[in-house]
Amino acid sequence: MADSTGNGTPLLDELEKGPWPSFVKEIKSMAEDNKMSQDLLGQLEKSYRDKTGYWKHGGIVGVMGYGGGVIGRYSFLAEEYPNVAHFHTLRINQPSGWFYTADALRALCDVWERHGSGLTNMHGSTGDIVFLGTKTDELEPTFAELTKHGFDLGGSGSDMRTPSCCVGPARCEWACYDTLHITNDLTHHFQDELHRPAFPYKFKVKCAGCPNDCVASIARADMSIIGTWRDEIQIDQDEVKKYVESGIDIHRDIYANCPTRCIEWDGKELKIDNSNCVRCMQCINAMPKALRPGKDRGATILIGSKAPIVEGALLSSVLIPFIKIEPPYEEIKDLIERIWDVWGEHGKNRERVGEFIQRVGLGNFLEEIDLEPHPDMVAHPRENPYIFYEEYYEEGEEEEEEE
């Protein structure tokens, strides 16, 4: 297939070969009726040929009243490929758990074919529906049509990014709380922070219904809300025996894969030392009919993960070991706002919360957000800065004064 200038695209054609789906194939399918996609093919081919990127950041561009939701992008080759002179991306706030009706998806596609390239990314790393490529003049008309269909823009820039979650209780028996409801509630509650950037950098909240963490929140969310339980794992001994009879080797398949070796099997009864269980879900995943999460359910709140952008990647650290997740979620909302107050005042430009905590020390951070330290927060023994408690020093000082 040729681009808009009539030239072929031999380098892009190579990317259509092989067993995997190709983004080139999808662009070509849109290019048959869309001039923007035709010019996109031409610019991409030239980029591969010259080994140079020809996109430049768009600066400040968006819809009226919003500071986020639109990622501006312009082409350095506007004269050669005029239909991609502007190629802005819109982020659309996805429904909780990514549940759509066929009519909703058709409406989204129709809106984008009228106003943009017709190319979408379902979904971006943040979770949003991503509309790839439109002109500045089309931003407001696109937004107007989206709102008629009940959709809003998501987050971008230094703001609260669109909260996302797993399917939770809608389709998963392991969900320890209603991920869908809290995600929807937080999205509506923090509308101002979502649409109007005012933070040092981005802030992501992701909700996982159980420790399997199907949204990978522990690796890429500034705040992870991961479902868990604090009582004993439920055991059906009859079902355990059925698994053994069907070929499962408890020692090899369950005990040997348990990180704390808290499982015992004497050939008749399975026992779990719940005081040493770290809620990794390995045994439950292996024998789902025999084992289930406990009945006293809630979530662990973690903080600080990020991908390697400004500095290296970070995994989340425990902030609150266990909390009940119940509407209207005031305790969680208050915690988020306390974190924002401290980070917003003292954070550096483009410094994520995890990086901020590393810089100021976890002990100082906990004191500022009025949260007590807990052993579960310790990542490496004798390394965390808050192991010397202030009360210890105060008592010692009082004794010296009395002497």
Side-chain angles (χ1 to χ4, degrees), residues 64-129:
M64 186 68 69
Y66 281 29
V70 179
I71 297 95
R73 187 166 289 114
Y74 296 95
S75 171
F76 280 112
L77 306 175
E79 293 184 3
E80 189 173 351
Y81 300 106
N83 293 302
V84 291
H86 303 184
F87 201 77
H88 308 314
T89 291
L90 276 74
R91 288 180 176 164
I92 317 302
N93 197 323
Q94 82 284 351
S96 298
W98 302 287
F99 284 99
Y100 300 93
T101 63
D103 287 342
L105 289 173
R106 289 192 183 97
L108 288 169
C109 291
D110 289 344
V111 168
W112 198 229
E113 285 187 8
R114 282 193 292 272
H115 298 288
S117 69
L119 300 171
T120 63
N121 178 356
M122 306 284 283
H123 294 86
S125 294
T126 297
D128 299 294
I129 310 160

Side-chain angles (χ1 to χ4, degrees), residues 23 28 41 73 79 113 147 159 173 177 184 197 244 250 282 330 335 346 356 358 361 368 388 392:
F23 72 94
K28 286 182 177 180
L41 287 172
R73 187 166 289 114
E79 293 184 3
E113 285 187 8
T147 55
D159 62 9
E173 59 186 318
Y177 71 96
N184 184 68
V244 173
I250 297 294
Q282 191 278 328
E330 290 302 328
L335 174 64
H346 301 289
F356 172 69
Q358 282 191 324
E368 289 297 319
F388 299 109
Y392 172 81

Side-chain angles (χ1 to χ4, degrees), residues 156-382:
S156 70
S158 298
D159 62 9
M160 179 182 183
R161 296 297 179 86
T162 313
S164 63
C165 64
C166 65
V167 296
R171 292 185 62 84
C172 181
E173 59 186 318
W174 304 141
C176 295
Y177 71 96
D178 192 339
T179 58
L180 305 169
H181 190 275
I182 189 175
T183 299
N184 184 68
D185 188 277
L186 293 177
T187 300
H188 283 84
H189 182 79
F190 291 118
Q191 282 291 296
D192 194 58
E193 290 80 8
L194 182 64
H195 294 310
R196 297 171 181 86
F199 297 159
Y201 203 19
K202 66 185 80 169
F203 188 92
K204 297 181 179 180
V205 177
K206 296 187 185 296
C207 302
C210 78
N212 281 326
D213 193 15
C214 291
V215 287
S217 68
I218 201 170
R220 58 201 190 103
D222 298 275
M223 176 174 281
S224 307
I225 305 176
I226 301 179
T228 188
W229 61 95
R230 58 181 172 183
D231 56 346
E232 298 183 350
I233 292 176
Q234 302 177 68
I235 306 175
D236 187 326
Q237 298 293 349
D238 291 335
E239 290 294 338
V240 173
K241 293 174 183 177
K242 290 180 181 179
Y243 277 108
V244 173
E245 292 169 0
S246 67
I248 277 196
D249 184 320
I250 297 294
H251 187 275
R252 180 194 66 203
D253 302 326
I254 309 300
Y255 171 82
N257 289 317
C258 175
T260 57
R261 303 293 194 271
C262 65
I263 295 173
E264 292 183 14
W265 170 248
D266 60 7
K268 296 180 180 179
E269 184 179 24
L270 184 77
K271 295 181 180 179
I272 298 176
D273 179 5
N274 285 274
S275 64
N276 280 322
C277 175
V278 293
R279 314 294 193 267
C280 73
M281 293 282 289
Q282 191 278 328
C283 61
I284 296 175
N285 292 332
M287 299 193 298
K289 292 184 178 180
L291 303 174
R292 299 186 65 81
K295 296 180 180 179
D296 186 7
R297 301 178 179 183
T300 297
I301 296 181
L302 302 96
I303 192 165
S305 67
K306 59 177 282 292
I309 302 176
V310 178
E311 294 188 21
L314 295 173
L315 292 179
S316 292
S317 301
V318 172
L319 191 63
I320 297 180
F322 185 88
I323 185 173
K324 299 295 280 188
I325 307 295
E326 298 169 344
Y329 316 113
E330 290 302 328
E331 191 172 354
I332 293 175
K333 293 171 184 174
D334 179 63
L335 174 64
I336 292 173
E337 289 175 352
R338 296 203 309 271
I339 291 170
W340 286 348
D341 286 344
V342 176
W343 173 54
E345 182 175 356
H346 301 289
K348 296 180 180 180
N349 185 40
R350 291 178 66 83
E351 182 177 53
R352 298 284 286 271
V353 166
E355 296 167 328
F356 172 69
I357 293 172
Q358 282 191 324
R359 179 168 62 84
V360 303
L362 184 56
N364 292 325
F365 178 74
L366 293 174
E367 183 177 349
E368 289 297 319
I369 65 172
D370 195 26
L371 203 63
E372 291 294 322
H374 191 279
D376 285 313
M377 298 173 181
V378 177
H380 306 285
R382 299 183 182 273

Side-chain angles (χ1 to χ4, degrees), residues 2-76:
D3 63 16
S4 60
T5 63
N7 298 318
T9 55
L11 296 178
L12 290 179
D13 295 345
E14 289 294 315
L15 296 177
E16 292 186 271
K17 299 176 181 179
W20 305 107
S22 169
F23 72 94
V24 174
K25 179 180 179 181
E26 300 305 319
I27 297 175
K28 286 182 177 180
S29 68
M30 288 304 303
E32 295 176 3
D33 302 308
N34 188 291
K35 292 182 178 180
M36 183 171 281
S37 291
Q38 291 173 13
D39 275 7
L40 177 61
L41 287 172
Q43 178 162 316
L44 285 176
E45 179 70 21
K46 184 175 178 61
S47 292
Y48 281 111
R49 185 172 63 247
D50 299 346
K51 297 181 175 62
T52 300
Y54 289 109
W55 298 114
K56 55 183 175 181
H57 191 274
I60 303 301
V61 62
V63 300
M64 186 68 69
Y66 281 29
V70 179
I71 297 95
R73 187 166 289 114
Y74 296 95
S75 171
F76 280 112

